[in-house]
Amino acid sequence: MHLQLQYFLLLAAALFCIGIYGLITSRNAVRVLMSIELLLNAVNLNLMGFSNYLDPQNIKGQVFTIFVITVAAAEAAVGLAIVLAIYRNRNTVDMEQFNLLKW
Amino acid sequence: MAQFLLQSVWLVPCYALIGGLLAAAWSPGLIRRTGPRPAGYVNILMTLVAFVHSLIALSALRNQPPQALSFTWLNVAGLHLSIDLEISAVSVGAMVLVTGLNLLAQIYAVGYMEMDWGWARFYSLLGMFEAGMCALALCNSLFFSYVILEILTLGTYLLVGLWFNQPLVVTGARDAFLTKRVGDLVLLMGVVAILPLTGTWNYTELAKWAETATLDPKVATLLSLALIAGPLGKCAQFPLHLWLDEAMEGAIPSTILRNSVVVGTGAWVLIKLQPVLALSPIASAVIIFIGATTALGTSAIAIAQIDIKRSLSYSVSAYMGLVFIAVGTHQEKTALVLLLTYAVAMALLVASTGTIVWMNVTQDLTQIGGLWSRRPITGISYIIGAAGLVAVPPLGGFWALLQMANNLWNSQPWLVGVLLVVNGLTTFSVTREFGLIFAGKRKQMTMRSPEVLWAMVLPMTILAGLTLHVPLLLQAWHLLPNWASINKTVAGLLILSTAIGCGTGCMIYVNDNWPKPVQLGSKQLQDFFAYDFYTAKLYRITIVFVIGLLSQIVYWFDRYIVDGFVNFVGLFTIFSGQSLKYNVSGQVQFYALTILIGVAFLGMIVSLPLLFNSPTF
């Protein structure tokens, strides 16, 4: 079986959708961050796929991927810092307890 | 000099108007220190000037053809409004009558309005009335006649409402204004409709036009009916007659004027319009019908009243009905003579009964009596006024009625019958009042009743003298019928009807042995006349009810449907804002979902054309 670009893209889309599902349904704030990581990794998979199949000479997609990984790491760090800050105040990481800024 | 005064006779209304304006200065709120009396004196002075001026002008008019004056009032595209004046013996004579009666009524008011603070308002309005009536007499334009009639309607409202702290005065003034206003408004329709047909509002030109006019009978009828409606309300004819009854709540000096000349303003316009009205035989028939029913009905109602002033006011409607009959049968000259004789006599009657009211407080005929020996001047004046009103041979009313009956004798004999009945009933009515006031035993209210002070007696006696001299005046103006041409049968019948009315009146009311209060058959019948055919109730269940209901419906529709729709828009906006804010749930994950759905939706819209347009993809 010859690996095609579509398979990479479909896998990445599936991963992205799993991430979205986790992002919207998780009650634990850390799990929300983990879902965001899934999203970013799905994006990376896409970038790698496009880079290999459409741009094998310049591999700009791989450069993008490097940047995304870097920024994702920083983002995850800041995200965990925010979760910790909230946890200190509210003693919980349940997303359903964080609905103070409503109407 | 006289010629100059004749040329400037148009100043007469201005005098009265100036008098009225000057009088306003002594309103209790303006000149606070002197009291209100100078208002009356100033007004009397101006009225005297107006009277003398018009009298000299009248004498200068002898054997002169009528003159016409015209001022331009407004000249706009296609419409030239000019104030046309006619200086003729009739118009200046009418001004003499108006200013003369005003002078007497104003002197009368000096006595009557003693102990009243409202002289400024009262005399201002009298001055305004005098000015309006003089202007109407001079005015030779239908349009400006209408303008003056409307101003006089407003004047009636204010004058009836003089003592506005009395509730009945307020309702009376309201009815007087609205009833007359309705007539005037329909008159306005006629005034507006006549311009495209004739191109003019000048009475003289209208008469000339009417001679040769060929008009669609329907148009002529509708036009004439509209033109009748104004005088109908002004002259207190059926069915717009209730206002005159309620207008009796006003002060008596103004009643003198109202009963004698103000109600005549409508008749004056009607007489002037007679050539136009003659175009439609239906309109003439309607005028006759209205006049006859009003004359018969109100002269019967007058008998059943127990209020002196109201009893006389219904006789006013009756005599205006006779004027209507005269106009309907194309006798303008007779109508004018009748207006003259009637005005003088009725003014005297009201003045006489006014002195009774002033001294005895009550107006209730059943509570007064036996005043003849105490109040001879008033009694004699009353008799003269009554005799001058109805057909008593040497006096004025007889000649006017005789002339009218004479003209009707061959063409419409049944109207002579109406005339005789009205004359008989009115004679009975005035005799009844005389009997109740002056004859019989004195009652509690009339135990002590001295004659009133000179300011009221003087105008009354002058009026009495004037009533006695009316035949001489008629003779001097060649208005008496030729002795040979008098229909002896008609004259005999008229005198007979007077005699019967007077005789039965004397038998029942002057005769002390007849039991009082008099019962007429059944109670219902008596009440039917006493309550004026229940006209007030009739108005209330017909026109007032319908208008009231309609305005309530319209109010409801506006309040709930129109306002409701607009308010609904606002409420809907508030409601949507209030409910849509719950979209801001405070859950970050929900926001994320919203963004996602938005992006997915947008992506779908963007990619839809791709899906459909590129099957190869």
Side-chain angles (χ1 to χ4, degrees), chain A residues 23-24 26 95 98-99 102-103, chain B residues 584-587 589 593 596:
Chain A
L23 176 76
I24 287 167
S26 306
M95 288 299 283
F98 301 154
N99 62 349
K102 56 188 172 191
W103 57 85
Chain B
V584 185
S585 60
Q587 297 276 5
Q589 287 164 299
L593 179 65
L596 196 80

Side-chain angles (χ1 to χ4, degrees), chain B residues 422-558:
Chain B
V422 170
N423 183 46
L425 286 175
T426 307
T427 314
F428 182 82
S429 165
V430 289
T431 314
R432 166 181 174 267
E433 277 170 66
F434 177 83
L436 287 173
I437 298 171
F438 294 102
K441 279 193 280 289
R442 279 186 285 150
K443 309 236 172 82
Q444 199 176 7
M445 295 298 283
T446 53
M447 274 304 171
R448 287 181 289 279
S449 179
E451 194 59 270
V452 290
L453 72 166
W454 67 269
M456 295 162 80
V457 173
L458 182 71
M460 184 170 73
T461 44
I462 291 175
L463 269 173
L466 195 58
T467 315
L468 290 173
H469 281 79
V470 162
L472 295 176
L473 289 176
L474 293 179
Q475 196 179 22
W477 293 330
H478 308 294
L479 287 172
L480 284 189
N482 192 350
W483 191 251
S485 72
I486 293 176
N487 188 337
K488 305 284 190 302
T489 329
V490 174
L493 281 173
L494 273 174
I495 296 170
L496 186 68
S497 77
T498 311
I500 292 174
C502 184
T504 46
C506 285
M507 189 175 70
I508 297 174
Y509 290 101
V510 180
N511 175 8
D512 228 2
N513 297 324
W514 196 284
K516 301 201 184 48
V518 179
Q519 292 295 330
L520 169 83
S522 70
K523 179 93 170 65
Q524 277 89 6
L525 190 65
Q526 204 163 359
D527 278 354
F528 182 62
F529 287 110
Y531 288 105
D532 176 20
F533 301 165
Y534 298 107
T535 305
K537 237 178 228 173
L538 196 68
Y539 285 179
R540 215 169 294 136
I541 59 171
T542 54
I543 196 84
V544 176
F545 173 74
V546 170
I547 300 286
L549 192 68
L550 275 180
S551 45
Q552 265 171 350
I553 291 171
V554 170
Y555 171 78
W556 184 89
F557 187 82
D558 179 55

